[in-house]
């Protein structure tokens, strides 16, 4: 029957008409139709008036009798093809297939769903009867299709909502995309269920890219290999750690090593981010659809369903764990960035829980080089590797963008793309230039530091103890930062220097996270860890005005207690530091202005280095400068690049100017000006 109709394609026009008329006349929809005047349904049935006449109603009844005696089928070939595919793979019976066809058409043709809404409020039994009447199926067959042990329930593709009563919305599907996809010919189950479970892309990495967790990876591979071969149920692995540590890529590596096909539970739908309920239904679907093959499932952002901060999520998560995790058919890797948000009782249910720490800088460099596809030079690779938040996915996306750019300077474009991504994620951008070298200036000598401790002797003590927590305090320029570099150099250890600006974050919990990551990085590298300007985030908790000011200090205390390496904090404002933190330091060492003989000797040494003729009189003047620090010599040295020092007297004069600035600062008045 050929008929142009706005609401329904001609291939299913007769079938849709039959279902609509059954809903109206066999299920009591006539009264609501006449009362509300459902325009689109009336128009679809060929009635132009909002108030149908008796003869028009009778004509519709007659049409229903004719259609009931006719052989009517769905002529949408792609839909039927996909239903055949589902029937063969899921074991659908004829009734379940008919129901699924009806649901697909109802979701895609609004006039059908509006016709169903004419039936009013229905409970589950009434809805089951309505579906059986509309499709001319036995009530028992429809009831069986929606049972808890039925294929619909097991796969979660279709269910009846208990708290919804209108048939239009009561039939709930796994997601709307799935129903749309049924109308496009699919060659495999992967295509049909792409909106719920997606095959993962391949990775360029191998187990060699995870040397920092080598032993854990070995255990994981062995466990999964045996579990898959024995077809064990309830196999679940939890991978946790900070964002960008390679958890997703490791899942791909594991699948590749074991020759398993990796699928991911989709986290977005037609509206963007899928709800926890939708994702859990997708998980149930995957457990049934993928159980027959050599497959591995990945569930990213698992904290969304196991979040202890949300009562609804927590309870639903616990129920789900108790019901499903212990019996799942497909081994599943669960991934989270926030394990602290997960209930301890939930964590205990995983067969393995592995922390994926931040790779070392060398490892990060190798990963970046592999994912950048030779678009950038080794210098930029090294620079990017210094930033622990440059994840493989970030590099891969940057490679895709830059490879499509018509530009000669690939390095510049690549770095800009990476920096913009990091900024959007709330992390610091890639430094425009390399950070100052951790190397000491050639003139450095601890003998030119005014401290109440023998600094050379202290180095020996640190060597013997192999661990230390030291606080260096004093006015700016007295050599605190330089001495930390001297310690690292003397111990032949790498040094990690974090300024307050590196650690402070605008996001709640971000500073605490950065502090923990810094200690973790130092532990992994066996490096000397330095927190410069520690007063910017380690203020006295008794003066705290905000909760996060307290949690920052608490995190610092926890990390200091557990760290068994060398940790040094520097500050110009020791009186502002939290007293409990101060007590945690093994040694608090004050750095002061140069003593007269130190100033004179340093002046003599700097003259030689700058190739300036030494002046004895100028040297005596320098020794009498009371507020002179090694930093002042460094400042004048930098000036000499642009304004060469003429002689010893000129050198002395410039040092006097540096000291004069400090005198001005000390004498500056706070408050109202006298001349106002």
């Amino acid at each position: 029957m050929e008929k142009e109709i706005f609401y329904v394609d001609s291939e299913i026009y007769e079938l849709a008409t039959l279902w609509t008329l059954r809903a109206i006349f066999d299920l009591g929809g006539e009264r609501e139709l006449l009362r509300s005047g459902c325009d689109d349904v009336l128009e679809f049935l060929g009635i132009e008036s909002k108030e149908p006449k008796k003869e028009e109603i009778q004509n519709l009844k007659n049409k229903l009798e004719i259609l009931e005696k006719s052989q009517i089928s769905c002529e949408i070939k792609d839909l039927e093809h996909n239903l055949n595919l589902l029937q063969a793979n899921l074991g659908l019976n004829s009734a379940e297939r008919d129901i699924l066809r009806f649901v697909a058409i109802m979701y895609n043709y609004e006039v059908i769903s509006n016709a169903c809404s004419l039936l009013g409020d229905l409970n589950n039994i009434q809805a089951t009867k309505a579906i059986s009447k509309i499709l001319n199926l036995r009530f028992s067959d429809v009831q069986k299709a929606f049972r808890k042990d039925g294929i619909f329930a097991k796969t979660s593709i279709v269910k009846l909502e208990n708290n919804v009563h209108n048939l239009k919305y009561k039939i709930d599907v796994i997601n709307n995309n799935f129903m749309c996809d049924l109308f496009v010919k699919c060659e495999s189950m992967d295509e049909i269920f792409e909106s719920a479970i997606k095959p993962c892309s391949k990775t360029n990495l191998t187990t060699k890219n995870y040397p920092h967790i080598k032993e854990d990876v070995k255990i994981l591979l062995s466990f999964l290999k045996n579990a898959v071969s024995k077809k064990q149920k309830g196999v679940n692995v939890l991978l946790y750690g900070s964002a960008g540590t390679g958890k997703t890529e490791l899942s791909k590596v594991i699948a590749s090593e074991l020759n398993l096909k990796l699928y991911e539970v989709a986290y977005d739908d037609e509206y963007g981010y899928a709800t926890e309920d939708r994702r859990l239904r997708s998980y149930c679907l995957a457990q049934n659809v993928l159980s027959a093959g050599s497959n591995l499932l990945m569930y990213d952002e698992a904290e969304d369903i196991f979040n202890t901060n949300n009562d609804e999520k927590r309870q639903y998560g616990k129920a789900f764990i108790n019901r499903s995790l212990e019996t799942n058919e497909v081994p599943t890797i669960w991934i989270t960035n926030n394990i602290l948000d997960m209930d301890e009782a939930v964590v205990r249910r995983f067969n393995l829980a592995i922390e994926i720490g931040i790779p070392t800088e060398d490892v990060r460099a190798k990963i970046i080089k592999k994912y950048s596809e030779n678009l950038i030079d080794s210098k930029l690779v090294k620079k990017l590797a210094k930033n622990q938040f440059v994840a493989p996915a970030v590099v891969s996306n940057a490679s895709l963008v830059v490879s499509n750019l018509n530009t000669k300077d690939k390095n510049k474009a690549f770095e800009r793309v990476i920096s913009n991504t990091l900024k959007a994620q709330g992390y610091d951008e890639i430094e425009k230039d390399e950070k100052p070298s951790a190397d000491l200036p050639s003139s450095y000598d601890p003998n030119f530091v005014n401290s109440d401790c023998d600094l050379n002797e202290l180095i020996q003590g640190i060597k013997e103890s192999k661990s230390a927590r030291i606080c260096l305090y004093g006015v700016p320029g007295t050599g605190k930062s330089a001495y930390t570099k001297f310690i690292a150099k003397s111990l032949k250890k790498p040094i990690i220097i974090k300024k307050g600006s590196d650690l402070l974050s605008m996001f709640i919990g971000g500073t605490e996270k950065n502090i923990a990551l810094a200690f973790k990085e130092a532990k992994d590298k066996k490096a000397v860890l330095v927190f410069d300007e520690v007063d910017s985030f380690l203020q006295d908790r008794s003066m705290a005005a905000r909760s996060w000011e307290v949690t920052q200090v608490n995190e610092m205390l926890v990390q200091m207690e557990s760290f068994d390496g060398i940790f040094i904090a520097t500050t110009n404002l020791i009186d502002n530091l939290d007293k409990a933190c101060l007590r945690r330091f093994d040694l608090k060492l004050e750095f002061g202005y140069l003593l007269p003989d130190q100033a004179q000797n340093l002046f003599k040494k700097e003259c030689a280095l700058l190739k300036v003729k030494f002046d004895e009189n100028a040297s005596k003047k320098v020794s009498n400068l009371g507020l002179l620090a090694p930093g002042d010599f460094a400042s004048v040295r930098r000036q000499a690049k642009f304004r060469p020092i003429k002689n010893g007297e000129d050198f002395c004069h410039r040092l006097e100017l540096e000291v004069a600035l400090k005198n001005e600062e000390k004498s500056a008045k706070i408050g109202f000006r006298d001349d106002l």
Side-chain angles (χ1 to χ4, degrees), residues 589-602:
L589 195 60
E590 184 177 9
F591 282 34
Y593 292 118
L594 293 169
L595 298 173
D597 60 330
Q598 289 177 317
Q600 198 167 13
N601 290 331
L602 183 55

Side-chain angles (χ1 to χ4, degrees), residues 374-376 398-417:
N374 298 317
L375 288 168
I376 58 178
S399 298
L400 177 63
V401 173
V402 175
S403 63
N404 286 287
L405 295 180
N406 185 21
T407 178
K408 293 181 179 179
D409 196 341
K410 303 287 188 184
N411 280 331
K412 185 178 180 181
F414 202 96
E415 185 176 342
R416 186 173 182 82
V417 173

Side-chain angles (χ1 to χ4, degrees), residues 284-298:
C284 293
L285 172 68
Q287 290 297 331
N288 283 272
V289 173
L290 305 177
S291 60
S294 299
N295 301 311
L296 184 65
L297 187 63
M298 178 178 70

Side-chain angles (χ1 to χ4, degrees), residues 207 210-224 237-240 250 254 352-357 520:
T207 54
Y210 292 86
H212 52 302
I213 52 167
K214 182 179 178 181
E215 294 304 315
D216 288 327
V217 171
K218 217 182 269 186
I219 293 172
L220 176 57
L221 282 170
S222 180
F223 168 66
L224 284 178
V237 175
L238 178 66
L239 302 182
Y240 67 95
L250 178 59
I254 296 299
L352 285 174
I354 300 173
E355 181 180 10
I356 313 300
K520 180 70 166 59

Side-chain angles (χ1 to χ4, degrees), residues 483-500:
Y483 185 61
T484 65
K485 297 175 184 178
F486 180 70
I487 291 175
K489 186 176 181 180
S490 301
L491 299 176
K492 297 180 180 178
K493 287 180 173 289
I495 186 170
I496 297 172
I497 302 175
K498 299 288 187 182
K499 292 185 176 292

Side-chain angles (χ1 to χ4, degrees), residues 96 144-156 288:
E96 291 163 341
K144 187 177 179 180
F146 286 104
R147 277 173 37 175
K148 290 183 178 180
D149 59 349
I151 194 65
F152 285 168
K154 288 180 179 179
T155 60
S156 290
N288 283 272

